[in-house]
Amino acid sequence: MQRLMTFYDTSIGKKLVVAVTGLIMYGFIIGHMLGNLKAFGGATALDQYAEMLREIGASFLGNTTFLWFARIVLIVAVVAHVVTIIQLSRRNRASRPTRTVRRRNASTLAATWMAISGTLILVFIVIHLAQFTFGWIDIHKTGTEGFEYGAVYSNIWGAFNVWWVALFYVVMMAMVCMHVYHGAWSMCQTLGVDAPPRNQMIRGGAATIAIILFIGFCSVPVAMLTNALSAPPIDEMAVEPQKYERSPQIMNVSEGDQG
Ligand code: HEM
């Protein structure tokens, strides 16, 4: 343990933590985007997929145990990623020359961008969970169903039929994907896989993944807003919704109430 902490205290140890936790989040975000595409298979396909995630290992671990394990890994990864980046940037600042000779070069601009977009993404995740996981923020088009546990398709259909909710997601996805692009590139530098003959290919690969993520994530809100994806069937209910506990609704706004 002592050796592990000593290693973590070195710059390379910290960079490794940033890279590994970044990879975990990369895996999550790619998986999440692919899962969202189930919406194109219809309401039942998406809801059953979400239910399947809750039930992984249910026979021996109990319902949602695996999901909670994955959530805890993700939360630990996010916290370790953010804390370590803050420590690294403090260390870098302390070892930099005085203000008068400090120059605003490309790498400081990229670091500033990563800090701002990273903070906004954290805020987005809080709003996102409050909206689609807990249903505390329930904004949906007038005449559509409000938030219902397990009725994932219906929940996002109602929300994305409010134009500014769909636009908010498109803007946030652009931010997430640019963050992921810069993150992937600097992760390659951290891991030492960058080298002049390969750099163009690495940058191209990172940009391609970011663009695929952007198109994949945005396709769902855009298709729902434009009705390319149809409304959920009237009787679409959560898959056995009674299994899930209800939380208090802090905010329940339908489009007609927004003035
Ligand atoms: C258009 C884009 C997105 C859509 C439509 C979407 C949709 C959803 C929905 C419906 C849920 C709840 C699933 C359920 O309760 O079964 C969810 C959960 C979640 N989303 Fe997203 N999401 C999007 C983008 C993102 C992005 C970019 C991130 C991360 C930066 C993210 C992070 C999460 C997290 C952490 C959860 C909670 C997972 C859990 O604990 O079960 N989402 N998303």
Side-chain angles (χ1 to χ4, degrees), residues 45-104:
L46 183 65
D47 292 1
Q48 280 179 351
Y49 170 73
E51 177 65 6
M52 182 274 289
L53 290 183
R54 290 187 193 101
E55 284 187 344
I56 295 175
S59 54
F60 57 101
L61 290 169
N63 220 16
T64 74
T65 312
F66 174 81
L67 191 64
W68 271 108
F69 172 75
R71 282 171 176 163
I72 289 165
V73 170
L74 197 62
I75 292 167
V76 170
V78 172
V79 172
H81 192 77
V82 173
V83 168
T84 313
I85 284 176
I86 293 171
Q87 290 175 344
L88 268 176
S89 60
R90 279 200 186 138
R91 195 175 280 189
N92 285 349
R93 221 174 299 138
S95 63
R96 252 189 246 154
T98 55
R99 197 173 268 262
T100 42
V101 279
R102 208 184 285 164
R103 278 190 307 134
R104 288 216 129 234

Side-chain angles (χ1 to χ4, degrees), residues 26 29 114 175-185 209-210 213:
Y26 220 95
I29 209 164
M114 288 303 273
M175 182 153 295
V176 167
C177 293
M178 283 197 270
H179 187 91
V180 162
Y181 164 70
H182 279 290
W185 166 241
I209 295 174
L213 278 170

Side-chain angles (χ1 to χ4, degrees), residues 25 28-29 32-33 36 46-47 49-51 53-54 67-68 70-72 74-75 78 121-122 124-125 128-129 131-134 147-153 155-156 160 166 169-170 172-173 176-177 180 213-214 216-222 224:
M25 291 188 280
F28 167 79
I29 209 164
H32 190 9
M33 186 276 284
N36 285 0
L46 183 65
D47 292 1
Y49 170 73
E51 177 65 6
L53 290 183
R54 290 187 193 101
L67 191 64
W68 271 108
R71 282 171 176 163
I72 289 165
L74 197 62
I75 292 167
V78 172
I121 290 168
L122 284 180
F124 161 75
I125 292 174
H128 182 54
L129 295 185
Q131 184 174 19
F132 290 143
T133 298
F134 302 112
F147 182 86
E148 181 78 60
Y149 281 90
V152 179
Y153 188 96
N155 292 342
I156 58 175
F160 291 148
Y169 268 79
V170 169
M172 287 318 297
M173 290 312 107
V176 167
C177 293
V180 162
L213 278 170
F214 180 70
F217 271 129
C218 290
S219 63
V220 176
V222 171
M224 289 187 164

